[in-house]
Amino acid sequence: MKLVVRVIEARNIPAMDLNGFSDPYVRLQLGRNRFRTKVVKKSLNPSWGEEFSFWVEDLSEDLVVSVLDEDKYFNDDFVGQLRVPVSRVFDAEDKSLGTTWYSLHPKSKKSRSRDCGEILLNVFFSQNSGFMPSHSVDDHVLPLRKHPDFTIESPSRSLCGSSRSSSPMPSGMRMEDIGSKEEKLNAQKTIAGRIAQIFVKNGDLASCTSAGSIDSSELSETSISEVYENKLEEQSSSCNFEEAMKRMESTDQGNECLSNLPGGVLLDQLYVVASSELNSLLFAPDSNFPTALADLQGTTELQQGPWVFENGGDSLKRVVTSIKAASKLIKAVKATEDQTYLKADGKVFAVLASVSTPDVMYGSTFKVEVLYCITPGPEMPSGEQSSRLVISWRMNFIQNTMMKSMIEGGARQGLKDSYAQYGSLLAQNVNPVDPKDVGSNKEQVLASLQAERQSDWKLAVQYFVNITVVSTIFAVLYVSTHIWIATPSPIQGLEFVGLDLPDSIGEVIVCILLAIQGERVLKMIARFMQARAQKGSDHGVKAQGDGWLLTVALIEGSNLAAVDSSGFSDPYVVFTTNGKTRTSSIKFQKSDPLWNEIFEFDAMDEPPSMLDVEVLDFDGPFDEATSLGHAEINFVKTNLSDLADVWIPLQGKLAQACQSKLHLRIFLNNTRGNNVVKEYLTKMEKEVGKKINLRSPQTNSAFQKLFGLPPEEFLINDFTCHLKRKMPMQGRLFMSARIIGFHANLFGHKTKFFFLWEDIDDIQFETPTLSSMGSPIIVMTLRKGRGMDARHGAKSQDAQGRLKFHFHSFVSFSVAQR
């Protein structure tokens, strides 16, 4: 029987490193078989999404799941572990424990009170007896599946990884070929084979067959037929590519596309083609693009396996093998690429390719993972559809090695050259879109927007026809009728002419209820009048001045939270940037409101760093509005072409519970051209009293690439200095109009971060001390909750939760201080 273990994610992992994070990975062991996942760098809530398989022979064994923290120079730190009895899985309903969170426990009983976090696993017995290619094996030990007369490898599989073993058997393989392979595996039964297996890592079983061989006739017919049936079953699971895409679309869970891999972006381009057509061009079996690319790059023996549904149809995979062309550094080598669809909903497609080259030096210690993400782009002025292709990569080191930096550097350069050819060939097949052209049709896009027109009478009927107003009208009519038919009562008690007081407790209660009901109706009338007076659209109102012009088109909202008793809300949106605010109109009783409103901000001397978006529920002119969600749009970390047509997910408890989001179109234009940089530097020279030289385009381009900044960001100055944490680290401090960043490279160990100027709450200068090596210190304190992406560079965090960054040992402190 095959036990399948899916390692999905973990949460609340304790921080094991000095930077406040951990580098966790999971090690699984059942008997003598051990697997391990990839390492997730700097995370306390890691996500793996990998799957492994074990061949179970003894139900009394326990599956041991251990979470460890990778340490580059010392032994890996133990985080926590848990034990799952195999018999518990076997006795469970459907032989599956389901997707469950498990608490991790420390090794020592004395530390039972320590919280080690939780891990999400799915453990079950597979109904299919076939085995899939292995993902990663700890210590290069492969688990063995035992048959009566021979043994065969029992690897695992990964949701986002690739094969370390051979590709599936070709459909034309003869039975003699099966027998010859099983004969090599059967050599392990001999004494020489067992000794070779002990001393040879990554056991190449073919090299052990010389010690002794067994005639293939000893293989039982049952074993051969079983292998052949598994092959037929694999072939039967393949299907037409279009049908596979439709099946993936029908089973899609609606999750967003994955973020880019940490190694960097290899290609980011818009194309004048629908996303589904671009997906077919790149990955369909009948596409000529892979063959043309292989011819261009000198790749030979390209073999593309069929797309196959695995794990009961949950994942769609295929294997591509080829001989990569020789380069200046390495000879021609065989590469095995496992391609897995992570998402295919008809519009968004994500394919993860994991490439293994075991024949190169240290090839068994790493794999290169490449993520292809295809998303719909903005509609072109001609009405044609566009799509965006983003290709990112990362290195997945299966085993620790001292050559990590060298391997990663070589892979980076190779991938850069390879995907430069990839992009040029793709541009010959489909027309690329210039991002400038996307921004140039701003007027056409905004002109097509028509604000929703609503009749005041229809809104009044929709707003006032409710139980409160109807009951109030009924009460007024009822009291008026009573006054008309009743006779006046005689004056008694403390009453006098003109003052008629209640004569009983019941009359007092009725008066109070009528007063409360009347107050509620009056508030509703005032609220309606105030909302209709608030006109939010800037249609026809142009921004004033020259500089950076920000235009925001608010299209619509989706799944906004309902806070009223009616099950709806009265939402409006507030946009804020650089201290300037724009407010939309109010939409009554809407959870999916349609605005189609345009807002323009007057020209700004400095490019905006952040746009704050707040969605509020209108509760009247005197009551405090309830927040339905908020979002921040960071112009420094976002490509402007991506903002031309984007859905922004809202944050907050109500918004996240309802999965609320806004549809926006954002345009940022510079009306001064290149003069805006010179004018900004001239202004800065007057403030600091120092000449600031204009940097060359090459320097600005290198600065933008270093920190992943948009092309409109320009460098003002940079200084050599030390970043003070527990130990000083020498690097360079970079300053631009919107960010301040630090970069250091110490023996291949890179430290890089940046934060926004507007995030800085205070800057102080401390006098020289012995700990600062006799140099003054600049201390930058950020606002609470800001700069969390750069927290690994902070020296401390104060009681208010603000990060503090210490810089010192400037070559010219007076210049840097100014």
Side-chain angles (χ1 to χ4, degrees):
M1 292 181 295
K2 183 175 69 172
L3 180 69
V4 180
V5 183
R6 293 179 184 171
V7 183
I8 303 173
E9 60 179 323
R11 63 188 180 190
N12 302 327
I13 296 295
M16 308 299 291
D17 298 336
L18 297 178
N19 58 9
F21 293 95
S22 295
D23 303 328
Y25 67 92
V26 181
R27 186 173 66 197
L28 302 97
Q29 181 171 356
L30 181 63
R32 296 183 178 180
N33 302 329
R34 288 192 295 176
F35 295 140
R36 60 171 286 178
T37 67
K38 64 189 176 188
V39 179
V40 179
K41 296 292 186 180
K42 296 180 181 178
S43 177
L44 300 181
N45 298 284
S47 178
W48 292 283
E50 299 186 36
E51 185 173 301
F52 304 91
S53 301
F54 295 89
W55 183 248
V56 178
E57 296 180 345
D58 188 357
L59 292 177
S60 63
E61 293 181 331
D62 288 348
L63 171 68
V64 182
V65 182
S66 305
V67 179
L68 297 97
D69 170 61
E70 185 186 49
D71 200 314
K72 189 172 183 180
Y73 302 105
F74 304 98
N75 293 333
D76 294 347
D77 299 324
F78 179 84
V79 176
Q81 71 175 12
L82 64 98
R83 290 179 175 270
V84 180
V86 177
S87 57
R88 176 185 168 191
V89 185
F90 186 80
D91 295 336
E93 185 178 359
D94 297 331
K95 292 183 172 49
S96 172
L97 298 181
T99 304
T100 310
W101 285 99
Y102 297 89
S103 297
L104 297 172
H105 305 287
K107 279 186 176 180
S108 175
K109 295 183 179 180
K110 298 180 180 179
S111 306
R112 289 296 182 184
S113 59
R114 182 167 65 91
D115 185 13
C116 299
E118 296 177 304
I119 186 169
L120 183 61
L121 302 174
N122 186 3
V123 186
F124 60 93
F125 276 102
S126 175
Q127 302 299 327
N128 182 13
S129 61
F131 278 85
M132 309 309 301
S134 66
H135 171 64
S136 60
V137 183
D138 192 34
D139 297 334
H140 301 280
V141 177
L142 293 176
L144 299 177
R145 176 185 176 186
K146 296 186 178 180
H147 286 267
D149 296 320
F150 66 94
T151 60
I152 187 169
E153 291 182 52
S154 162
S156 68
R157 54 188 169 176
S158 167
L159 294 176
C160 59
S162 66
S163 172
R164 289 195 55 195
S165 60
S166 60
S167 58
M169 182 177 63
S171 57
M173 177 171 281
R174 299 171 302 172
M175 299 301 287
E176 291 82 3
D177 298 331
I178 299 176
S180 62
K181 287 194 174 182
E182 291 171 348
E183 179 180 346
K184 294 178 181 179
L185 294 175
N186 200 22
Q188 294 185 34
K189 280 293 187 180
T190 65
I191 298 177
R194 292 183 179 275
I195 296 176
Q197 186 182 7
I198 296 174
F199 289 100
V200 179
K201 291 188 176 181
N202 290 329
D204 186 359
L205 300 180
S207 65
C208 301
T209 57
S210 60
S213 60
I214 297 178
D215 190 87
S216 59
S217 61
E218 296 180 6
L219 298 174
S220 64
E221 295 181 0
T222 305
S223 303
I224 296 177
S225 61
E226 183 179 348
V227 175
Y228 186 68
E229 289 174 0
N230 289 341
K231 179 60 189 174
L232 292 178
E233 182 179 355
E234 180 183 347
Q235 290 180 344
S236 63
S237 62
S238 62
C239 59
N240 181 272
F241 184 73
E242 288 75 14
E243 295 177 356
M245 291 297 99
K246 292 180 181 179
R247 182 174 174 181
M248 290 284 292
E249 182 179 354
S250 63
T251 58
D252 185 74
Q253 301 295 325
N255 298 325
E256 296 296 331
C257 186
L258 301 178
S259 58
N260 294 333
L261 297 182
V265 176
L266 300 170
L267 180 64
D268 187 353
Q269 181 63 51
L270 285 168
Y271 296 96
V272 187
V273 64
S275 58
S276 57
E277 296 178 6
L278 181 59
N279 173 64
S280 299
L281 174 66
L282 300 182
F283 301 107
D286 57 352
S287 174
N288 296 325
F289 181 79
T291 305
L293 181 64
D295 295 338
L296 177 63
Q297 296 179 345
T299 302
T300 59
E301 299 184 21
L302 177 65
Q303 294 183 359
Q304 302 182 71
W307 287 103
V308 178
F309 277 104
E310 298 180 357
N311 193 25
D314 290 343
S315 60
L316 182 63
K317 300 182 180 181
R318 77 170 177 181
V319 178
V320 179
T321 59
S322 61
I323 304 296
K324 296 293 183 182
S327 65
K328 297 179 181 179
L329 299 178
I330 60 174
K331 62 180 181 179
V333 294
K334 181 179 179 180
T336 303
E337 179 177 347
D338 283 7
Q339 298 178 352
T340 305
Y341 266 96
L342 303 182
K343 183 177 181 65
D345 62 358
K347 296 182 179 179
V348 179
F349 302 89
V351 177
L352 183 69
S354 184
V355 184
S356 59
T357 52
D359 295 337
V360 302
M361 186 178 298
Y362 299 101
S364 60
T365 64
F366 70 91
K367 292 181 182 179
V368 178
E369 296 181 351
V370 181
L371 177 65
Y372 301 80
C373 193
I374 304 173
T375 56
E379 185 177 351
M380 304 306 296
S382 60
E384 295 178 293
Q385 295 181 348
S386 67
S387 58
R388 180 188 179 194
L389 173 63
V390 180
I391 303 177
S392 57
W393 74 286
R394 71 178 173 193
M395 294 293 295
N396 184 8
F397 285 96
I398 303 172
Q399 184 180 2
N400 287 335
T401 173
M402 296 180 63
M403 309 301 292
K404 274 188 177 182
S405 58
M406 186 190 73
I407 294 173
E408 190 169 0
R412 181 182 292 107
Q413 185 60 40
L415 288 171
K416 181 179 178 181
D417 298 339
S418 175
Y419 280 93
Q421 297 175 327
Y422 186 99
S424 62
L425 179 61
L426 186 57
Q428 298 175 13
N429 289 268
V430 290
N431 295 326
V433 180
D434 189 347
K436 295 181 180 179
D437 297 337
V438 178
S440 63
N441 61 12
K442 163 188 166 183
E443 298 299 333
Q444 300 177 6
V445 172
L446 298 182
S448 63
L449 297 179
Q450 296 294 331
E452 183 183 14
R453 296 180 180 179
Q454 292 179 309
S455 170
D456 289 345
W457 286 107
K458 290 183 179 180
L459 281 176
V461 171
Q462 180 181 1
Y463 184 69
F464 288 110
V465 176
N466 54 59
I467 187 62
T468 300
V469 177
V470 172
S471 61
T472 302
I473 294 175
F474 175 79
V476 170
L477 292 175
Y478 187 86
V479 173
S480 300
T481 304
H482 170 73
I483 294 175
W484 182 50
I485 64 177
T487 58
S489 59
I491 297 176
Q492 56 184 348
L494 298 179
E495 297 177 344
F496 54 84
V497 178
L499 178 63
D500 189 8
L501 298 176
D503 298 332
S504 65
I505 298 298
E507 292 183 1
V508 172
I509 294 175
V510 171
C511 291
I512 293 175
L513 293 177
L514 291 176
I516 293 175
Q517 199 79 345
E519 181 187 16
R520 293 179 62 183
V521 173
L522 290 177
K523 281 187 175 181
M524 291 180 65
I525 296 174
R527 179 179 174 187
F528 180 80
M529 299 302 294
Q530 177 73 16
R532 295 311 297 161
Q534 179 175 319
K535 301 295 183 180
S537 179
D538 285 349
H539 274 285
V541 180
K542 296 296 182 180
Q544 303 296 322
D546 289 331
W548 295 94
L549 296 180
L550 177 62
T551 304
V552 181
L554 173 61
I555 311 299
E556 59 183 322
S558 175
N559 298 327
L560 299 185
V563 294
D564 296 343
S565 58
S566 60
F568 296 97
S569 56
D570 305 323
Y572 67 97
V573 185
V574 178
F575 300 96
T576 305
T577 183
N578 282 7
K580 301 177 181 179
T581 301
R582 296 289 185 272
T583 304
S584 75
S585 62
I586 299 171
K587 298 298 179 183
F588 282 108
Q589 304 296 296
K590 298 286 186 180
S591 59
D592 298 314
L594 178 65
W595 278 284
N596 281 342
E597 297 179 356
I598 302 173
F599 308 93
E600 290 202 23
F601 291 82
D602 290 338
M604 296 167 276
D605 295 332
E606 302 177 5
S609 305
M610 194 83 70
L611 175 65
D612 293 324
V613 183
E614 184 84 15
V615 183
L616 302 170
D617 176 64
F618 184 72
D619 288 331
F622 308 108
D623 296 332
E624 183 178 356
T626 302
S627 176
L628 301 180
H630 62 88
E632 291 182 347
I633 300 174
N634 193 327
F635 293 107
V636 177
K637 298 181 179 180
T638 309
N639 196 326
L640 291 180
S641 61
D642 298 339
L643 299 177
D645 191 357
V646 62
W647 281 92
I648 304 295
L650 299 179
Q651 304 298 319
K653 293 182 178 180
L654 291 176
Q656 291 178 334
C658 300
Q659 296 183 350
S660 305
K661 52 186 178 180
L662 287 180
H663 187 191
L664 303 177
R665 291 183 174 180
I666 303 174
F667 303 91
L668 181 63
N669 302 101
N670 173 24
T671 60
R672 294 178 183 173
N674 294 331
N675 293 330
V676 68
V677 179
K678 297 180 180 179
E679 293 177 3
Y680 184 85
L681 294 181
T682 302
K683 176 184 175 182
M684 296 300 299
E685 288 176 354
K686 295 178 181 179
E687 292 184 3
V688 302
K690 179 186 178 296
K691 178 67 176 177
I692 301 178
N693 297 322
L694 180 65
R695 299 303 179 96
S696 65
Q698 293 80 7
T699 304
N700 277 322
S701 177
F703 166 66
Q704 295 162 6
K705 184 177 180 180
L706 178 63
F707 291 101
L709 303 174
E712 65 268 13
E713 198 69 20
F714 56 91
L715 179 63
I716 297 176
N717 213 337
D718 61 300
F719 304 95
T720 299
C721 71
H722 281 76
L723 171 68
K724 185 178 181 182
R725 293 183 293 187
K726 289 191 174 182
M727 293 291 292
M729 176 180 293
Q730 183 176 359
R732 293 194 73 83
L733 192 69
F734 297 85
M735 295 186 295
S736 70
R738 294 185 289 187
I739 74 155
I740 180 167
F742 179 83
H743 177 264
N745 189 348
L746 184 62
F747 302 111
H749 181 73
K750 297 180 181 180
T751 300
K752 179 176 64 176
F753 63 86
F754 71 87
F755 47 82
L756 303 177
W757 281 107
E758 66 179 40
D759 290 343
I760 298 178
D761 189 26
D762 186 26
I763 299 180
Q764 297 178 349
F765 303 97
E766 295 184 358
T767 57
T769 61
L770 183 61
S771 61
S772 65
M773 299 179 291
S775 173
I777 301 176
I778 296 179
V779 181
M780 298 185 182
T781 305
L782 305 188
R783 292 186 295 166
K784 182 180 179 180
R786 296 290 185 171
M788 301 309 293
D789 293 341
R791 63 184 302 174
H792 59 278
K795 185 179 186 300
S796 60
Q797 189 172 7
D798 61 12
Q800 302 178 15
R802 302 182 303 173
L803 299 176
K804 291 181 177 290
F805 297 83
H806 292 235
F807 303 98
H808 67 103
S809 295
F810 291 91
V811 175
S812 178
F813 178 76
S814 59
V815 175
Q817 180 181 4
R818 287 199 299 269

